[in-house]
Amino acid sequence: MRIGLTGGIGSGKSTVARALVARGGALLVDTDAISRALTLPGGGAMPAIQAKFGAAFVTADGSLDRAAMRALAFQDPAARLALEAILHPMIGDETARQAALAAPGQRIVFDVPLLVESGRWRRQVDRVIVVDCRETTQVDRVIARSGLTADAVRAILAQQATRTQRRAAADAVIYNDGITLDRLQDEVDALLRSPLF
């Protein structure tokens, strides 16, 4: 079974992904991790990114200057589309390569932050799990882990699908707000035992 896992920034999606691997034996394909690897020093996307956007978007160690690119992408939709045109085919190729490593009968979990926004991912998976929480919780969590300002986090949220849009695309929702890690893992266990999965 191919499971799409998504949720807004700070929702706890990565924690749920780890639980699906540890408790459900799933193979995880993390598209965000693939994207990051492509933009590290020596990453496959860096030559094309430097050629398109210039050295101002490359750090001294040869990786993508994420802060500079984030600022540009928020201000200039054409720049965001140009970056996606470089990254998405490479991410797609690596996603397919990793998914092919699944054992027969093993669940594959595709961790896709922008699953709902992409439009195409829903057709590529059998089920969609959405990790959901209040927007205020998202803001607090992201500030705590990243040091971004509340306004910066809200700007990121504004670029993502709304909670309502994500929930409408879901076959199952895990509400990760005000619960312990143990309770969250119990929610994952219950989901894996359900007839849907």
Side-chain angles (χ1 to χ4, degrees), residues 32-47 49 57-66 87:
D32 214 25
I34 292 169
S35 176
R36 283 193 301 273
L38 288 168
T39 57
L40 288 174
M46 288 311 300
I49 288 172
F57 293 91
V58 180
T59 65
D61 68 2
S63 63
L64 176 66
D65 185 330
R66 292 185 169 279
L87 286 173

Side-chain angles (χ1 to χ4, degrees), residues 2 21 26-38 90-103 106-111 121:
R2 297 164 65 90
V21 171
L27 171 72
L28 177 63
V29 179
D30 184 339
T31 61
D32 214 25
I34 292 169
S35 176
R36 283 193 301 273
L38 288 168
M90 294 181 179
I91 293 169
D93 289 347
E94 180 60 15
T95 296
R97 187 193 71 77
Q98 291 186 21
L101 300 175
Q106 184 180 23
R107 292 183 183 100
I108 307 172
V109 173
F110 297 91
D111 181 338
W121 264 103

Side-chain angles (χ1 to χ4, degrees), residues 4-193:
L5 176 67
T6 195
I9 187 171
S11 64
K13 177 176 53 61
S14 297
T15 303
V16 171
R18 288 191 294 273
L20 287 166
V21 171
R23 303 169 83 86
L27 171 72
L28 177 63
V29 179
D30 184 339
T31 61
D32 214 25
I34 292 169
S35 176
R36 283 193 301 273
L38 288 168
T39 57
L40 288 174
M46 288 311 300
I49 288 172
Q50 181 160 354
K52 176 67 179 177
F53 296 100
F57 293 91
V58 180
T59 65
D61 68 2
S63 63
L64 176 66
D65 185 330
R66 292 185 169 279
M69 185 57 75
R70 186 183 306 116
L72 177 65
F74 282 144
Q75 295 168 6
D76 184 353
R80 178 177 56 79
L81 291 173
L83 180 64
E84 290 173 354
I86 294 168
L87 286 173
H88 285 184
M90 294 181 179
I91 293 169
D93 289 347
E94 180 60 15
T95 296
R97 187 193 71 77
Q98 291 186 21
L101 300 175
Q106 184 180 23
R107 292 183 183 100
I108 307 172
V109 173
F110 297 91
D111 181 338
V112 185
L114 301 180
L115 184 148
V116 173
E117 294 85 340
S118 76
R120 63 185 175 82
W121 264 103
R122 188 62 184 91
R123 298 187 300 275
Q124 297 178 28
V125 295
D126 302 307
R127 300 285 188 273
V128 172
I129 300 172
V130 168
V131 185
D132 185 44
C133 66
R134 293 171 298 165
E135 185 173 306
T136 53
T137 301
Q138 292 177 266
V139 172
D140 291 344
R141 287 175 179 166
V142 177
I143 289 172
R145 77 180 187 210
S146 70
L148 291 172
T149 66
D151 285 345
V153 178
R154 288 190 193 96
I156 294 170
L157 289 172
Q159 298 290 317
Q160 297 185 342
T162 65
R163 291 177 63 200
T164 301
Q165 289 169 329
R166 273 194 295 273
R167 291 173 72 101
D171 295 295
V173 176
I174 294 178
Y175 187 64
N176 180 29
D177 207 328
I179 62 174
T180 65
L181 180 58
D182 285 344
R183 178 58 195 272
L184 181 62
Q185 291 175 336
D186 288 344
E187 294 279 336
V188 171
D189 288 344
L191 198 59
L192 291 172
R193 289 193 302 268

